[in-house]
Amino acid sequence: MITTHSVTSADGTKIAYDRYVPTGGSRGTVILVGGAFSYRKFPKMVELAELLVRSYGLTVINHDRRGRGDSGDSPDRYDAAQEVDDLAALLAAEGGTAALFGWSSGAVLALRAAGSGRIPGISRVVAFEPPFVVDRTRHVPPPDLAATLHQLVAADRRSQTVRYFMTKAIGVPAPFVGLMRITPMWSKLTAVAGSTPHDWAVMAEYMKGRPLDPADWNGVRVPVLVLSGGRSDALLRTAAGAATAVLPDARHTEIPKLSHNPDVRLLAPPAGEFLTTHAAPTT
């Protein structure tokens, strides 16, 4: 069963979400935290939610992060703490205890929420390919990225925002982005272009080409499963190993045939098994 709801975050922003409930008793609750340009109706987020419900008996909360879909926004105010508050509001509305599944920048947000000390009900975290940039051997975003990104968003230059974020923040080659502009996906990307400063607020400190500081992650005291794909860029595979090394209770699984644009049928099993291990059944 799928029902749609909303919750109000600490700053008054409305956060919309879908609740997927399995038939029979639930084996626990997981909140999905999408990455850049993702939203709750994004097909792979929906597919992941459906698989975790159907195959693992989990209650799944699939939400629109602020600035996307049916959720509200906080224009000109971009702070990772706001999105931690959003997750706190979701978790409180759904019984006070839940795991988090984060994808890309959403994985970093999930880890930051778990380490914030402000949401004691987080039980565990799945972090799929957090895009940390821990050395300077590959793409490193420019230091003035935030200023340019904010200017583009303020001017509502959506296509340029998408192009700039993809090439400068993520490191996607410009010719590939150019090809994307003639696909049906482009309009979906431009629709959520204004949310990209929220992603950058989450990621900026951890994409500077320097090693992760264990002190930044000591607060993540819950079990963490870091997932990466064998077909993903080397930067992401390196980031997965670096994250695992600094988290107090983490293990890393690389899925050989997976990429950052994943086959959800390969992604769901290790996540579902981890999320239901020792999980207390609920009714």
Side-chain angles (χ1 to χ4, degrees), residues 28-244:
T29 299
V30 58
I31 298 172
L32 303 186
V33 190
F37 303 108
S38 179
Y39 47 94
R40 83 180 196 276
K41 298 300 184 184
F42 187 73
K44 293 202 174 188
M45 295 296 287
V46 172
E47 184 182 3
L48 177 60
E50 291 174 344
L51 277 173
L52 291 175
V53 171
R54 183 172 64 248
S55 299
Y56 297 95
L58 289 161
T59 296
V60 179
I61 304 304
N62 187 17
H63 76 293
D64 283 324
R65 287 174 57 187
R66 61 174 56 208
R68 316 175 194 208
D70 295 319
S71 288
D73 200 1
S74 50
D76 301 320
R77 293 184 289 123
Y78 307 112
D79 186 337
Q82 294 173 319
E83 292 208 86
V84 172
D85 286 340
D86 299 345
L87 292 174
L90 284 168
L91 194 139
E94 291 299 319
T97 301
L100 304 178
F101 179 106
W103 184 334
S104 196
S105 64
V108 179
L109 175 56
L111 292 171
R112 293 187 67 165
S116 68
R118 294 160 51 200
I119 316 179
I122 295 174
S123 59
R124 55 185 58 203
V125 175
V126 178
F128 174 52
E129 296 196 331
F132 297 119
V133 180
V134 298
D135 58 41
R136 304 191 71 85
T137 61
R138 301 176 188 87
H139 175 75
V140 179
D144 63 346
L145 189 144
T148 302
L149 184 64
H150 293 176
Q151 290 170 4
L152 290 171
V153 169
D156 199 29
R157 296 163 66 181
R158 298 188 181 191
S159 283
Q160 287 180 269
T161 299
V162 175
R163 184 168 64 249
Y164 182 77
F165 191 84
M166 283 197 159
T167 57
K168 299 301 184 181
I170 302 175
V172 179
F176 185 79
V177 176
L179 290 173
M180 292 179 68
R181 295 188 68 183
I182 61 174
T183 70
M185 174 61 70
W186 192 254
S187 63
K188 295 180 173 61
L189 298 175
T190 57
V192 293
S195 68
T196 52
H198 293 298
D199 289 287
W200 190 243
V202 170
M203 289 303 311
E205 288 301 309
Y206 309 108
M207 298 186 78
K208 294 184 176 181
R210 61 193 185 202
L212 297 177
D213 184 348
D216 291 340
W217 307 100
N218 282 341
V220 185
R221 293 295 175 179
V222 299
V224 177
L225 174 63
V226 181
L227 294 175
S228 61
R231 293 182 177 174
S232 293
D233 187 88
L235 183 150
L236 293 168
R237 300 199 308 274
T238 298
T244 306

